[in-house]
Amino acid sequence: MSLQYDLAIIGAGPAGLSAAISAAGAGLKVVVFDEQPAPGGQIYRNIEAVSATRKAQLGWLGADYAAGLELVRRFRAATVDYLPLSQVWQLGHDGRVCYRRDAAAGVVHAQKILIATGAMERPLPIPGWTLPGVLSCGAGQTLLKASGLAPDGRFVLAGCGPLLLLLAAQLIRAGVRPTAVFETAFNPWAALPHLPGMLGLPAYLFKGLGLLREIRAAGVPLHRGVTRLAIHGQGRACEIEFESGGRIGREPVDGREPVELVFLHQGVVPNGNLALSTDIRHQWDDLQRCFRPTLDDCGRSSSAVLSVAGDAGGIVGAAGAAAMGTVAGLAVAADLGRIDAPAAANLSADARKLLARHRAARPFLDHLYRPAQRWVAPPDADTVVCRCEEVSAGDMRRVVQAHNCPGPNQLKSFMRCGMGPCQGRLCGLTAVELIAETQGVSPAAVGYYRIRAPVKPVTLGDMAALDVPTREDAVHM
Amino acid sequence: MFKLLPDADRATVSVVINGRSVAVPPGCSAAAAMLLHGGGVTRTTAISGSGRAPYCMMGVCFECLMEIDGEPNQQGCLVIVSEGMRINPQLGRPGIRN
């Protein structure tokens, strides 16, 4: 028989950890699944080991990273079953969680499930982005945190968003200087009306300005208003070509830089395949340019069993995600009758206030770094959109027009885009934007790929070995 | 492609990448080991045969699908190295095995 829990949490980042702490504190029997070897999620990746043995790195990774240790310590102290290095490949509306760990599959049942799968980077499809030597900025930061690895040789960062500037600054502090930073979105005038919301978190504003100062002080050229990027090379990245509109009063520039490594980033979006595979209701977020689950203010979805917290439910940032986890964990405890609703509201009052401040600050950041159309629907016909099945933007546009494809699932049938091993994670949003642009409709009307379990690799042998009731068992009952 | 920073953990785990024995820090992923020592290419695609390398390092892009200890289709960024681990790129489409 499979194990029983009150609450199963998928993901051990800020949201999952906080939810586990608050739910376990309310007396719930909690299990936490996570793909990484240690708690913290991508944002606090490897925080325990770095804090213990790599003091210099802890310093230049910064105070916001170091702050994660406190959350991880509270999680370690909580009474929770924690399954690191596990991959959840299916969730059921009956509370079933199917996972793979130690090269074997398992199933647990829980009364409630909380999806806290966090964020992933929005793809930045440009010519040559599939070449070896091109990584995401998140990957660059993960290599730093997890293994102490830094780029060796000439490298640049390109794209937009806070992480682009943060990684540049962290590498500079580590003594590894980028050749240049190329910024593809920076819209201060669009963001300005939303500044009052940002003023609730002044430290974030100063942090952003500080990062810019560090990059300038290191003498790293920061190219703003970039309108075109292409990476060239035979078998690996060798050169990045750019066109930059320049600033007011300056001539546009273009050029080429020899590179060995390129780090791309274009903001973050919900890491959504697990939530999408459950068929809970989703909606298009036009400001964040992504789909996200439709949730109430406690993270409850359209399914009675499933809740979502943190960036997986719409981007709120690490501290906002932690607050949301606390709120969602206590709401589950109240829904299961372990604490009464006023007590849950009382316990989550501080977290709600914090969450409200982080939510209020988002529109400023979302407008400031909202990508232009050319960066989400690549104009170059040869740009690869679906990396797995190698489907180009030009081919996608042609087929959408020729067959009047209304959505990505029709396009998938014609072209196989989204059918490779990543299951559309890296082409889904681009396919949606391309179809919307070609058809002249909103992405909301286009919809998303239909995502089906298993959402992580699992072998037929693993599934056959599962201890689940068969049809014969049901007949004998 | 990548180097170990002076502050990193010492490379004490020996793994075999493309038949060559190299040392990496404990806790390092197979994909990171490939970026440090293996030239980076983790697979060639099943469609055009073009070379690919780890892109996201967090389990979403599947570019680091590798053959680890003889087992194909392993997400190298989610596998932590162990002593003597054999890490090879996955060339094209993996075959069906018993």
Side-chain angles (χ1 to χ4, degrees):
Chain A
M1 268 310 286
S2 65
L3 290 162
Q4 303 291 316
Y5 287 94
D6 295 317
L7 174 63
I9 297 173
I10 325 302
L17 296 179
S18 298
I21 293 163
S22 63
L28 267 61
K29 194 173 179 207
V30 179
V31 60
V32 177
F33 297 89
D34 191 60
E35 294 184 351
Q36 300 305 326
Q42 301 304 327
I43 191 84
Y44 305 133
R45 184 84 181 254
N46 208 26
I47 181 70
E48 291 167 306
V50 172
S51 302
T53 62
R54 285 148 51 182
K55 293 291 179 201
Q57 267 190 52
L58 190 65
W60 48 252
L61 283 169
D64 284 339
Y65 174 68
L69 186 61
E70 173 59 22
L71 180 63
V72 169
R73 280 192 177 142
R74 281 167 51 220
F75 172 72
R76 292 283 196 192
T79 308
V80 171
D81 282 355
Y82 166 53
L83 298 179
L85 293 170
S86 61
Q87 297 193 313
V88 172
W89 47 268
Q90 185 166 23
L91 297 178
H93 292 277
D94 57 354
R96 186 170 25 120
V97 179
C98 305
Y99 66 99
R100 190 167 197 260
R101 187 166 191 248
D102 290 336
V107 181
V108 302
H109 278 85
Q111 296 197 62
K112 300 275 186 183
I113 297 171
L114 180 74
I115 297 173
T117 47
M120 56 171 274
E121 292 171 276
R122 181 197 310 278
L124 177 48
I126 58 173
W129 75 309
T130 57
L131 286 168
V134 183
L135 294 88
S136 73
C137 283
Q141 208 190 37
T142 293
L143 287 162
L144 274 177
K145 292 173 182 172
S147 319
L149 287 187
D152 192 12
R154 291 176 68 93
F155 71 97
V156 299
L157 290 81
C160 64
L163 181 58
L164 183 83
L165 305 177
L166 177 61
L167 180 64
Q170 287 171 331
L171 289 169
I172 289 166
R173 292 172 206 157
V176 188
R177 196 172 153 277
T179 312
V181 177
F182 299 97
E183 205 167 46
T184 56
F186 183 67
N187 319 303
W189 297 112
L192 195 58
H194 305 279
L195 186 61
M198 190 74 214
L199 294 177
L201 297 170
Y204 282 52
L205 266 183
F206 290 122
K207 183 181 175 183
L209 294 170
L211 296 176
L212 285 172
R213 261 200 313 274
E214 278 186 77
I215 293 167
R216 293 228 168 83
V220 177
L222 172 63
H223 298 274
R224 283 234 159 105
V226 172
T227 51
R228 190 181 130 75
L229 286 170
I231 303 161
H232 304 289
Q234 289 297 320
R236 55 174 305 116
C238 294
E239 189 179 63
I240 186 162
E241 183 189 347
F242 65 96
E243 284 172 19
S244 158
R247 275 189 267 171
I248 297 162
R250 286 205 201 159
E251 289 296 305
V253 290
D254 56 7
R256 289 167 177 262
E257 284 277 352
V259 290
E260 282 164 58
L261 289 165
V262 178
F263 295 95
L264 300 178
H265 181 71
Q266 182 158 236
V268 293
V269 293
N271 182 8
N273 269 35
L274 188 62
L276 285 160
S277 75
T278 65
D279 283 340
I280 57 172
R281 193 172 302 133
H282 278 70
Q283 65 192 73
W284 175 255
D285 184 325
D286 205 49
L287 181 52
Q288 297 190 346
R289 292 193 95 141
C290 60
F291 287 96
R292 61 179 164 83
T294 303
L295 306 171
D296 73 3
D297 63 357
C298 292
R300 297 183 194 93
S301 75
S302 58
S303 157
V305 170
L306 295 164
S307 295
V308 184
D311 282 347
I315 302 305
V316 287
M324 176 81 196
T326 301
V327 172
L330 288 166
V332 167
D335 290 347
L336 292 177
R338 300 304 179 80
I339 51 175
D340 57 37
N346 199 24
L347 285 169
S348 63
D350 288 347
R352 278 174 195 280
K353 276 185 210 144
L354 189 64
L355 178 58
R357 271 165 57 201
H358 282 270
R359 285 227 167 102
R362 280 324 297 184
F364 178 82
L365 290 169
D366 292 339
H367 279 285
L368 190 63
Y369 294 118
R370 191 168 191 268
Q373 184 68 16
R374 67 170 76 85
W375 301 112
V376 293
D380 299 84
D382 292 339
T383 305
V384 172
V385 173
C386 170
R387 300 171 61 105
C388 299
E389 296 290 330
E390 298 178 77
V391 183
S392 71
D395 283 345
M396 279 189 172
R397 282 200 172 88
R398 186 176 50 74
V399 169
V400 170
Q401 271 168 347
H403 301 285
N404 195 25
C405 280
N409 293 301
Q410 291 73 28
L411 194 59
K412 179 160 82 172
S413 305
F414 286 121
M415 315 213 67
R416 289 194 55 82
C417 52
M419 292 181 75
C422 96
Q423 294 178 296
R425 287 171 174 90
L426 266 77
C427 70
L429 285 173
T430 314
V432 169
E433 297 270 11
L434 275 172
I435 296 168
E437 183 190 270
T438 309
Q439 298 280 34
V441 297
S442 150
V446 168
Y448 196 74
Y449 289 136
R450 185 177 165 77
I451 304 297
R452 292 183 179 84
V455 297
K456 279 284 171 171
V458 58
T459 69
L460 283 172
D462 292 338
M463 289 168 97
L466 274 177
D467 180 22
V468 290
T470 62
R471 189 168 296 188
E472 286 74 34
D473 293 335
V475 169
H476 291 303
M477 282 196 285
Chain B
M1 252 182 161
F2 282 86
K3 62 184 177 190
L4 274 177
L5 287 168
D7 195 32
D9 295 332
R10 287 178 52 215
T12 53
V13 180
S14 119
V15 296
V16 183
I17 297 180
N18 293 323
R20 193 167 63 95
S21 187
V22 295
V24 296
C28 181
S29 69
M34 206 66 157
L35 288 169
L36 187 58
H37 288 297
V41 172
T42 42
R43 71 176 186 117
T44 59
T45 64
I47 313 291
S48 72
S50 63
R52 294 289 173 86
Y55 179 76
C56 78
M57 292 302 290
M58 58 169 275
V60 295
C61 77
F62 289 74
E63 294 291 11
C64 66
L65 285 182
M66 290 190 281
E67 200 181 286
I68 297 175
D69 286 336
E71 199 62 36
N73 275 329
Q74 302 298 300
Q75 283 184 275
C77 70
L78 297 178
V79 176
I80 304 302
V81 293
S82 57
E83 187 65 28
M85 180 179 273
R86 286 169 294 123
I87 305 170
N88 287 303
Q90 178 162 306
L91 304 176
R93 198 178 279 122
I96 294 172
R97 302 162 349 127
N98 288 321

